[in-house]
Amino acid sequence: MAIKNQTLVTEFILLGIPHTEGWETVLFAVFLIFYLCTLLGNLLILVAVVSDSHLHTPMYFFLGNLSVLDISFSSVSTPKMLANLLVRNQVISMGGCMCQVFFYHFLGSTECLLYTVMAYDRFAAICHPLRYTIIMNHRVCALLAAGTWFTSSFHATILTTLTFQLPYCGSNKVDYFFCDIFPVVKLACGNTVIIETVSFTNIGLVPMTCFLLILVSYVRIVLAVIKMQSAEGRRKAASTCASHLSVVTLFFGPCALIYTQPSLSEVLVTPVQIFGNVVTPMLNPTIYTLRNKDVKGALKNLAGGQIFSEGF
């Protein structure tokens, strides 16, 4: 009855990044540069992978998927955050908030699963080189990629449905810079035990399972590399895995801090979240470009062989 007597919330107010009064213009410029670099870097890699026949291999097929994910993932929260910083446009509709929650967990889960698939691809290439083209044929690659997207959409649908089937009839001020499950659920009028339990279980289970599978893959890879007789073979194997290990570390690091440390102070959790949402998608194409001769060669061809020949 108490809920019926209160006005249901139809929009939320994002309070933004805490303790940044007076720094809005500087932060807007910095995050805008990061966002534009993310779009440009990942678009270049995606175009290179599609246009260069030498990159039509499983590893670069998954790298193309990663570029699409990085563009999409950074676009979930960054444009709204930029609008908030520039014109103090803090209002977001209920539908907009639902979209942010859904796509944040959909794309985040897809990226997590994709890193696992990429680790398996490296395992197959290094541990079973003679059977690699059979193991990772076009059909298998397509099924693995589609599986990551489909599974994650199911995962995000459950979380979003449970979050927004709750009644919201009190405060509409979300104490965060975008709509995520836990800041939004704090405003619910109903019992939040189910969504909190499911969220902690799902959000913890998916990354932990992926991390363990990646760990197993790399243990097998390390054992295979140790047994290699050729120093050149060991160097090449290490080089192909270094980029993947770097982006995995950048992805799982913030996840581990945010979702396994509920007591993480407000001062730390927001910068960690911003790093994962804004900085990591920008760094991924840089890592793959700097450490990968094939990608650099494809980009050099796209640029007419001038820009990248001077820089590298």
Side-chain angles (χ1 to χ4, degrees):
M1 292 297 295
I3 293 175
K4 291 181 180 179
N5 292 332
Q6 298 183 46
T7 303
L8 292 177
V9 171
T10 58
E11 61 184 23
F12 293 100
I13 298 175
L14 300 174
L15 297 184
I17 306 171
H19 314 302
T20 57
E21 292 78 8
W23 290 88
E24 289 88 355
T25 303
V26 175
L27 290 175
F28 172 82
V30 171
F31 292 145
L32 178 62
I33 291 171
F34 283 173
Y35 184 54
L36 293 177
C37 288
T38 297
L39 298 181
L40 178 62
N42 284 288
L43 279 173
L44 282 174
I45 285 186
L46 187 59
V47 171
V49 170
V50 172
S51 62
D52 194 320
S53 60
H54 295 96
L55 301 184
H56 293 175
T57 63
M59 184 174 78
Y60 296 112
F61 169 71
F62 295 128
L63 179 58
N65 276 261
L66 180 61
S67 293
V68 173
L69 280 170
D70 281 336
I71 292 171
S72 304
F73 188 71
S74 64
S75 298
V76 171
S77 60
T78 304
K80 183 61 180 176
M81 181 175 64
L82 291 173
N84 193 343
L85 289 169
L86 184 64
V87 296
R88 306 303 295 171
N89 181 16
Q90 298 173 292
V91 176
I92 185 170
S93 66
M94 177 69 78
C97 194
M98 290 176 66
C99 287
Q100 279 199 335
V101 170
F102 174 80
F103 283 106
Y104 180 75
H105 289 278
F106 167 50
L107 297 169
S109 177
T110 304
E111 189 159 348
C112 185
L113 294 171
L114 185 64
Y115 285 134
T116 309
V117 170
M118 293 172 78
Y120 175 72
D121 172 65
R122 293 299 83 209
F123 160 75
I126 294 171
C127 298
H128 303 284
L130 298 180
R131 296 193 297 128
Y132 175 64
T133 55
I134 299 174
I135 296 172
M136 298 299 292
N137 59 57
H138 294 304
R139 182 172 179 273
V140 170
C141 290
L143 287 174
L144 287 172
T148 63
W149 291 87
F150 177 78
T151 303
S152 298
S153 66
F154 181 69
H155 163 80
T157 299
I158 292 174
L159 294 178
T160 307
T161 302
L162 289 175
T163 299
F164 289 97
Q165 73 177 3
L166 294 168
Y168 292 89
C169 51
S171 172
N172 68 339
K173 294 182 178 179
V174 179
D175 191 15
Y176 215 40
F177 63 95
F178 77 105
C179 287
D180 198 4
I181 291 173
F182 298 117
V184 171
V185 165
K186 287 180 182 178
L187 307 178
C189 304
N191 191 326
T192 62
V193 172
I194 294 177
I195 178 58
E196 288 177 350
T197 303
V198 172
S199 296
F200 272 118
T201 302
N202 279 21
I203 294 172
L205 185 63
V206 172
M208 182 59 67
T209 302
C210 291
F211 179 77
L212 290 176
L213 290 172
I214 292 171
L215 185 63
V216 169
S217 296
Y218 274 99
V219 168
R220 296 288 301 275
I221 288 171
V222 169
L223 293 176
V225 170
I226 291 173
K227 294 178 182 178
M228 288 182 179
Q229 302 296 324
S230 168
E232 177 63 20
R234 287 195 295 269
R235 187 201 62 78
K236 186 175 180 181
S239 177
T240 58
C241 295
S243 298
H244 181 253
L245 280 174
S246 299
V247 296
V248 164
T249 303
L250 288 173
F251 178 83
F252 283 98
C255 283
L257 285 174
I258 293 168
Y259 293 108
T260 64
Q261 301 293 328
S263 60
L264 195 66
S265 71
E266 178 187 295
V267 178
L268 292 176
V269 70
T270 302
V272 170
Q273 185 85 67
I274 290 174
F275 182 86
N277 290 14
V278 179
V279 181
T280 298
M282 179 193 69
L283 292 177
N284 285 351
T286 305
I287 291 170
Y288 273 102
T289 301
L290 292 177
R291 301 191 63 90
N292 193 299
K293 292 181 179 179
D294 293 333
V295 175
K296 284 193 289 186
L299 292 174
K300 186 186 296 185
N301 293 334
L302 284 176
Q306 296 178 0
I307 298 175
F308 284 89
S309 61
E310 293 175 3
F312 298 100

